[in-house]
Amino acid sequence: MLLAGDIGGTSTRLGLFDRAPDRPRQVAIRTFPTAEHNDLSSLLSAFREDAAVKGTSIERACFGVAGPVAGDRAALTNVSPPWTIEARTIAQAFGIQRVSLVNDLQALGYAVPVLLPSEVAVLQEGAAVDGGNVALIAAGTGLGESILHAVDGTFVPVASEGGHADFAARTEREIVVLRDLIQRSGHASVEQVLSGRGLVNLHRVTHAGPCPAVEDLDSPDAPAAIAQAALERRCRGCVDALGMFVDAYGAEAGNLALRALATGGVFIGGGIAPKILPSLIDGRFIRAFVDKELPFRELLEKIPVKVILNEHAALVGAAVRAAAL
Ligand SMILES: [Zn+2]
């Protein structure tokens, strides 16, 4: 059996998978609140006690971690106190032959080649170039980016800190956002626009007066409330904020596609995209995606762009990686 993990600051998903020719077959998936455990070993012990998992033998494991990974050590920094995860410790404690730690976007990247048509929504059909790289961008609590390098007929996803690169403003209104962010924090990273908190930052510049949809912008529920109000057209300012979010998301996906020369396709992961799908499929995202100078617009118009709908995709990717260890 294969053990796959998607370890985040808020929740951790663990999955037991069986080897299969095309892609590992899911046996059991469980979700745990990360903060209720002191470390990964405690969480894995709880998973091992689960009726569907108890008594099974695990040969390979791979964990995607939302934090920096160096060799066989990873740090999960957005829990307090931070977790240190060591592959060797996990392997010894649970009798697993091989354990691999990867960045969470890398884990998602390993799933991309095995996603089924029913697990994606197509924003732009395009035509994938054989042997072309693939780019992956995922806005959620933060912004993750990864390039899947096409090497010898396979894809190698690499980790990055692309979300912390500078926000590239394209319009007068985005320059207002840029100024506001620099005044507030001294920097304007692209993650400060393209994340849950990013939607809140955009909300600030699209509301002159009170917002009928969101009372407390500091609440963790504020991003979802803004998106919901926008999709239901209950507040003009929220509609505006979500529109700016989609524009910036499309433009950054286009930037990443150019940097990666992602003629194999661009995939949109993360928790936000499936929740705002109606505002992504109406053409606005793709208009921003291809909005570069010629002849690069033509290059971008040929790239397939797809939203990943399977919420367990990162787990599937970790299982794919575990199977290859
Ligand atoms: Zn509003």
Side-chain angles (χ1 to χ4, degrees):
M1 289 282 190
L2 307 166
L3 173 63
D6 178 18
I7 304 168
T10 309
S11 60
T12 291
R13 290 190 174 114
L14 294 175
L16 191 66
F17 288 78
D18 216 350
R19 284 177 192 275
D22 296 333
R23 94 178 194 186
R25 197 174 56 245
Q26 167 184 329
V27 176
I29 289 180
R30 300 288 181 266
T31 303
F32 301 85
T34 308
E36 286 181 11
H37 295 266
N38 293 325
D39 54 26
L40 182 59
S41 291
S42 140
L43 217 152
L44 285 176
S45 298
F47 185 63
R48 294 291 274 147
E49 285 304 308
D50 191 282
V53 182
K54 204 164 184 161
T56 56
S57 150
I58 295 168
E59 296 120 39
R60 305 278 190 270
C62 176
F63 301 97
V65 183
V69 179
D72 70 347
R73 282 170 71 98
L76 185 67
T77 42
N78 46 3
V79 286
S80 134
W83 289 11
T84 300
I85 300 167
E86 286 183 321
R88 198 179 308 168
T89 309
I90 298 296
Q92 280 169 359
F94 295 92
I96 306 169
Q97 290 155 23
R98 285 188 192 157
V99 176
S100 167
L101 305 176
V102 295
N103 168 269
D104 53 346
L105 259 279
Q106 276 179 295
L108 186 59
Y110 283 110
V112 165
V114 300
L115 288 174
L116 304 170
S118 61
E119 292 173 315
V120 296
V122 177
L123 300 188
Q124 174 168 275
E125 201 67 51
V129 172
D130 226 18
N133 293 334
V134 166
L136 180 58
I137 183 166
T141 308
L143 177 70
E145 297 185 352
S146 173
I147 296 171
L148 282 64
H149 289 283
V151 182
D152 298 334
T154 181
F155 288 107
V156 181
V158 298
S160 88
E161 290 291 358
H164 301 287
D166 296 322
F167 169 54
R170 299 180 306 135
T171 62
E172 290 298 326
R173 296 189 76 202
E174 287 185 350
I175 290 169
V176 172
V177 173
L178 184 77
R179 277 207 194 96
D180 184 65
L181 290 173
I182 290 171
Q183 269 173 11
R184 282 172 187 281
S185 65
H187 291 94
S189 70
V190 63
E191 177 174 286
Q192 285 172 285
V193 178
L194 294 176
S195 60
R197 295 318 299 169
L199 195 51
V200 172
N201 290 333
L202 292 169
H203 182 283
R204 286 201 176 92
V205 301
T206 58
H207 290 72
C211 167
V214 188
E215 275 176 24
D216 178 11
L217 283 179
D218 292 325
S219 153
D221 302 325
I226 297 167
Q228 199 59 30
L231 292 171
E232 293 168 3
R233 306 207 148 256
R234 280 189 280 115
C235 167
R236 185 186 289 265
C238 286
V239 169
D240 225 8
L242 185 61
M244 290 186 75
F245 183 89
V246 172
D247 286 344
Y249 208 172
E252 176 64 10
N255 291 338
L256 181 61
L258 291 178
R259 290 185 178 117
L261 194 55
T263 52
V266 170
F267 285 77
I268 321 294
I272 295 178
K275 296 192 184 94
I276 61 165
L277 197 59
S279 62
L280 295 177
I281 57 177
D282 72 358
R284 189 164 182 163
F285 184 98
I286 293 298
R287 277 198 295 281
F289 178 76
V290 302
D291 186 23
K292 311 291 185 203
E293 62 184 327
L294 286 170
F296 303 103
R297 165 185 280 273
E298 289 164 357
L299 172 83
L300 292 166
E301 282 171 347
K302 296 191 187 95
I303 294 179
V305 181
K306 297 173 185 177
V307 177
I308 299 171
L309 302 176
N310 181 347
E311 61 169 337
H312 297 314
L315 215 48
V316 172
V320 167
R321 181 66 191 136
L325 288 174

